[in-house]
Amino acid sequence: MVRFATLLAGSILATGWATGAIAADPDTPAPGATPMAEAAATGDIVVTARKRAETLLDVPVAVTAISGDALIKRNINSVREAAALSPGLNISSDGAGRAFVSIRGVGVTLVQTVQPGVGLFIDGIYRPNTAYLNNPLLDVERIEVLRGPQGTLYGKNTLGGAINVITRQPSNEFEARGQASYAGPDGSWLISGSVSGPVIEDKLQVRVAASHREQDGFIRNGTIGGDSNRFETTSVNTTVRAAPTEDLTVTLNGYYDYIVGTNVPYARVSGPTDYSRINNFNTLGVTTYHYYGANAKIETPIDAIDTKVTLIGAYDGRTSNAPDTDGDFGPLDAVRQAGRDRLATKTVELRFDTKESDTISTLFGLFYSHETLSTDGFTNIKILGVTSNSTDRRVGDTYAAFGTLFWKPSAAWEVALGLRYDHEKRTATGSLVQTIPTAGGPVTLGGPVDPAQIKSNQVEPRFTLTRHWDQHLMSYASVSRGYRGGGFNAPTAPIRTYRGDSAWTYEVGTKYASRAFTLSGDVFYNDYRHYIGLNSVAPAAGGGLVTVDLNAGHVHGYGAELEAQLRPTSAWTISGSFTYMHSRLIDSSEYTAVTGRTLSSDRLTFQPDWTYNLSSDYVVKVGGDDTLTFSAGVSGKGSRLAATLNQTTPTILKSYALVNGSITYHTGPFEFAVFANNIFNKHYFESYIEKTTLQLAGLPASDLGIIGDLRRYGVRAGFKF
């Protein structure tokens, strides 16, 4: 393995040396330029990938930063949609409260009860629920996507990487923003706005933002009528920044998101090219979600030891209610289900960022989180007259200590060595009560189920070597380990617990940035153990169905990522990225030991071997400072393995490419645009379940599919003062 990494490092460093011959262009950054290009030109754009403010060119991590303005320009309203702009990031969904996310094929999360394998952070605050990836982005400054294990600084559940959403912060400058858009044919509309400014200059600033979004979606119910994947959100976010003294800054934030949507609106289809958008459930399956939380960050320097101290405390909650869902995925009114849950997470983090000397600095910290989950479920097997009520109560505590030593023996070299220790303890209790009909009348059975417990102690190291060849070019090599905690299946499941998974990643990369050209590339190798990427739908104790999560085995993966931006002229910007990723199960004996079955493919569920995006923006002056911007883009995803438990024949979903475009008129603080997404109305599957899953659960056999969004076209208006 060391030899493999050494050879890769040599090849990428040699590539970086050759790239350094490219001359810098004296032009200023183009509108919509990548953060790396802007950072090289102005020094203003920074990221916090290493929990320090650094330019992208100084960060020895494979990281993509997507600006809030770029999100608006591309008509992107969620992190899930933004995934198309980041190499290695793969997100799909089968409902308002469910998102499947991985980076480089690592950290796959198929259901919300599994701990995330890709960490999600809002302004550096950990969010435990991947369903947020579907939620609206509100007043976002940028999204940072960190690829590869980030456990040393960000903790467990970041073995694939981390996504950090950075919101705009208030300042002494008054600012007001607004946006409204409407698109058809599914009645998709959005309105949002924010105001920010000082209450007391230099002492107290406030930002308030709100948005509302609705869309009917493209899936219809053929049994009872109505839209089967409508989506509605309302969001409010407030930040208060106080600086009572020069040495103390306090930032308070609160948020609330209300979501109305549907879950798992699968259509019964005849195969992976049957793009039916009609499902035949006996209910629309409407589910409501409330996300809410508050956090506080205190920052102060200790000048005597040249240290910046940061203390963060946060509370995040989610409640959901699904009062009536179809448990048999079809027109037969056989199984109806209902459920509600409540998730609450409290976190505290304390960091000390110290400059020891001109060549040595350190970052040390402590972390604690307390998580509770309460779930209540009801199943009515109407064709048998059997009902069951279940409860599931889970508590998790995590304690961590972490530190990184940064050594810069010269301006050209940096060595960083980090280590984190995580101790996790999780417990689960629950109950199952069934009512069954008998000749003598209904009989009630069951009660509390045996409690379950998981403990783990994990060490997550990271070593990075960085070489700056000049002010435009750097290269790096790194070795890191990430870990995801194990978990529990529902009390009605035949398998109660599964262990955590982990990944070692070996990576080398290079970055070049000038005003006219930017390039970022890397190659990587993943050794992924006890992969939690497969689940099954099994008959539940007491009747109905239950999702079963389990360890599937070991995965090896390797690949390459490339991002670039070119400015042929000051008015024309071309940007794009490409990812090749070969991840395969090399040993699925864990899966076989638990299920007694084998798998038809060594590929990972929903993971493509390649993805790409390419976009072009051309700006034309139309008088004075007014401009007309012509934008076009295409994003593509390779073939993927569907969710399948078939032992002989894999189901492969076809590759696809989506073309988008817009024309935007800018005049003063206003902009007006016409746009179209999926211009050629490409049909593809967002999610797919092969029929063996239903067969094993004793249900009528049929493949199930959810199509992706079809063509939308509309108008957008916005302002910024």
Side-chain angles (χ1 to χ4, degrees):
M1 188 60 62
V2 173
R3 182 182 180 187
F4 176 77
T6 302
L7 290 173
L8 289 180
S11 65
I12 202 77
L13 293 179
T15 302
W17 181 265
T19 308
I22 298 174
D25 190 305
D27 291 342
T28 56
T34 64
M36 185 158 59
E38 295 175 0
T42 69
D44 292 333
I45 303 300
V46 297
V47 295
T48 54
R50 297 197 293 179
K51 297 202 173 182
R52 290 175 162 182
E54 301 173 291
T55 67
L56 278 170
L57 200 59
D58 287 331
V59 178
V61 177
V63 56
T64 297
I66 308 167
S67 72
D69 290 338
L71 296 171
I72 294 174
K73 179 190 297 185
R74 307 297 177 206
N75 304 299
I76 289 173
N77 298 306
S78 68
V79 177
R80 177 173 63 85
E81 295 170 358
L85 303 182
S86 175
L89 176 60
N90 186 46
I91 304 175
S92 55
S93 173
D94 67 355
R98 292 159 58 94
F100 317 144
V101 56
S102 66
I103 293 179
R104 296 173 173 173
V106 176
V108 179
T109 302
L110 294 180
V111 295
Q112 65 185 22
T113 53
V114 176
Q115 296 191 66
V118 173
L120 177 63
F121 300 82
I122 312 298
D123 294 324
I125 310 297
Y126 176 62
R127 292 280 184 90
N129 188 356
T130 59
Y132 176 85
L133 299 170
N134 292 318
N135 290 9
L137 293 170
L138 181 59
D139 212 24
V140 169
E141 178 180 316
R142 68 183 182 276
I143 299 174
E144 299 175 7
V145 181
L146 286 62
R147 302 187 292 278
Q150 304 299 322
T152 305
L153 286 176
Y154 289 87
K156 71 180 179 71
N157 301 344
T158 60
L159 75 165
I163 302 171
N164 197 4
V165 179
I166 310 297
T167 61
R168 294 188 178 93
Q169 298 298 299
S171 68
N172 282 329
E173 299 296 325
F174 174 80
E175 183 179 74
R177 294 171 179 255
Q179 180 190 177
S181 67
Y182 180 84
D186 68 327
S188 176
W189 63 275
L190 166 73
I191 184 169
S192 66
S194 66
V195 293
S196 175
V199 177
I200 303 174
E201 191 167 336
D202 295 327
K203 299 292 185 181
L204 184 65
Q205 298 102 22
V206 177
R207 179 189 64 90
V208 179
S211 72
H212 183 82
R213 179 187 176 194
E214 291 187 23
Q215 64 186 47
D216 295 332
F218 293 95
I219 301 176
R220 295 283 296 173
N221 188 297
T223 299
I224 62 174
D227 298 307
S228 291
N229 66 336
R230 64 181 291 263
F231 190 64
E232 177 182 342
T233 70
T234 302
S235 300
V236 179
N237 193 311
T238 300
T239 300
V240 178
R241 185 177 184 273
T245 69
E246 291 184 357
D247 293 334
L248 179 64
T249 301
V250 180
T251 304
L252 306 175
N253 175 266
Y255 69 92
Y256 174 76
D257 296 329
Y258 175 64
I259 314 293
V260 180
T262 57
N263 275 333
V264 296
Y266 286 96
R268 288 182 176 263
V269 297
S270 60
T273 58
D274 175 12
Y275 298 103
S276 172
R277 57 193 186 99
I278 304 295
N279 73 13
N280 290 286
F281 291 5
N282 300 111
T283 172
L284 294 177
V286 175
T287 306
T288 59
Y289 297 89
H290 299 263
Y291 299 86
Y292 45 88
N295 55 75
K297 178 166 66 175
I298 301 173
E299 300 170 288
T300 186
I302 304 177
D303 295 331
I305 56 174
D306 204 357
T307 296
K308 178 183 177 181
V309 180
T310 303
L311 175 64
I312 301 174
Y315 172 85
D316 295 280
R318 183 206 72 211
T319 61
S320 71
N321 183 28
D324 188 16
T325 59
D326 192 330
D328 54 70
F329 296 94
L332 181 65
D333 192 10
V335 181
R336 301 295 277 269
Q337 295 176 314
R340 62 175 65 237
D341 73 5
R342 177 185 175 89
L343 173 68
T345 305
K346 302 172 185 176
T347 59
V348 178
E349 180 173 299
L350 177 64
R351 295 198 303 266
F352 300 89
D353 192 345
T354 303
K355 183 179 180 181
E356 306 286 352
S357 67
D358 291 338
T359 60
I360 296 177
S361 63
T362 58
L363 180 66
F364 290 103
L366 301 170
F367 175 84
Y368 169 72
S369 73
H370 178 74
E371 178 183 317
T372 60
L373 175 65
S374 176
T375 302
D376 298 289
F378 172 76
T379 298
N380 180 6
I381 307 177
K382 301 178 72 172
I383 58 175
L384 300 178
V386 176
T387 62
S388 64
N389 289 273
S390 64
T391 64
D392 193 357
R393 306 288 184 261
R394 307 182 188 184
V395 178
D397 289 284
T398 301
Y399 304 83
F402 59 92
T404 300
L405 173 68
F406 304 90
W407 176 42
K408 292 186 175 182
S410 69
W413 290 93
E414 181 194 78
V415 178
L417 180 61
L419 191 67
R420 186 183 187 104
Y421 169 76
D422 272 297
H423 170 74
E424 179 183 32
K425 178 181 178 181
R426 302 175 71 85
T427 59
T429 58
S431 65
L432 173 64
V433 177
Q434 309 162 47
T435 300
I436 60 176
T438 68
V443 175
T444 300
L445 304 172
V449 298
D450 293 337
Q453 186 177 94
I454 295 175
K455 289 184 179 180
S456 67
N457 296 282
Q458 296 290 326
V459 175
E460 296 160 291
R462 183 181 185 90
F463 171 79
T464 306
L465 176 65
T466 306
R467 174 69 157 98
H468 284 271
W469 305 100
D470 57 33
Q471 62 178 330
H472 299 292
L473 176 67
M474 64 87 79
S475 301
Y476 68 91
S478 67
V479 180
S480 56
R481 180 181 187 267
Y483 171 77
R484 166 169 49 181
F488 309 97
N489 288 306
T492 57
I495 304 166
R496 190 70 166 113
T497 65
Y498 52 90
R499 66 186 300 180
D501 54 3
S502 63
W504 279 96
T505 294
Y506 307 84
E507 177 181 329
V508 290
T510 192
K511 300 178 184 180
Y512 174 86
S514 72
R515 293 180 177 89
F517 179 68
T518 67
L519 177 69
S520 175
D522 62 77
V523 292
F524 60 88
Y525 177 83
N526 297 322
D527 185 3
Y528 188 8
R529 298 286 187 173
H530 310 299
Y531 160 62
I532 314 172
L534 286 172
N535 62 6
S536 179
V537 177
L545 305 175
V546 63
T547 298
V548 179
D549 301 300
L550 46 80
N551 299 103
H554 304 324
V555 177
H556 284 178
Y558 57 84
E561 299 162 331
L562 185 68
E563 287 184 279
Q565 184 177 104
L566 174 67
R567 291 185 59 211
T569 70
S570 60
W572 188 17
T573 304
I574 303 172
S575 58
S577 68
F578 177 80
T579 301
Y580 173 73
M581 178 189 70
H582 182 88
S583 291
R584 297 294 187 268
L585 266 165
I586 62 166
D587 179 2
S588 57
S589 58
E590 286 182 285
Y591 171 82
T592 301
V594 171
T595 64
R597 300 175 60 82
T598 58
L599 297 170
S600 60
S601 175
D602 60 358
R603 296 187 64 174
L604 307 188
T605 307
F606 298 139
Q607 302 306 303
D609 281 351
W610 53 264
T611 60
Y612 70 89
N613 78 83
L614 180 66
S615 62
S616 174
D617 300 282
Y618 194 84
V619 181
V620 178
K621 290 189 176 181
V622 291
D625 293 328
D626 294 357
T627 61
L628 203 60
T629 302
F630 297 87
S631 300
V634 57
S635 61
K637 184 177 290 190
S639 63
R640 293 138 292 136
L641 177 70
T644 176
L645 301 179
N646 192 294
Q647 298 188 90
T648 58
T649 307
T651 298
I652 303 297
L653 306 179
K654 293 179 63 176
S655 60
Y656 65 90
L658 305 178
V659 178
N660 306 317
S662 66
I663 302 174
T664 306
Y665 174 65
H666 299 261
T667 177
F670 301 99
E671 72 170 27
F672 306 91
V674 294
F675 64 87
N677 294 339
N678 193 2
I679 291 174
F680 297 107
N681 207 33
K682 182 67 177 179
H683 288 64
Y684 63 99
F685 278 112
E686 179 78 9
S687 185
Y688 196 99
I689 301 175
E690 188 268 339
K691 63 184 178 182
T692 302
T693 303
L694 297 188
Q695 288 176 331
L696 294 174
L699 294 175
S702 173
D703 286 9
L704 303 172
I706 297 177
I707 63 167
D709 287 345
L710 301 178
R711 177 170 51 223
R712 283 196 181 100
Y713 43 87
V715 294
R716 184 183 71 245
F719 66 85
K720 179 173 66 176
F721 293 100

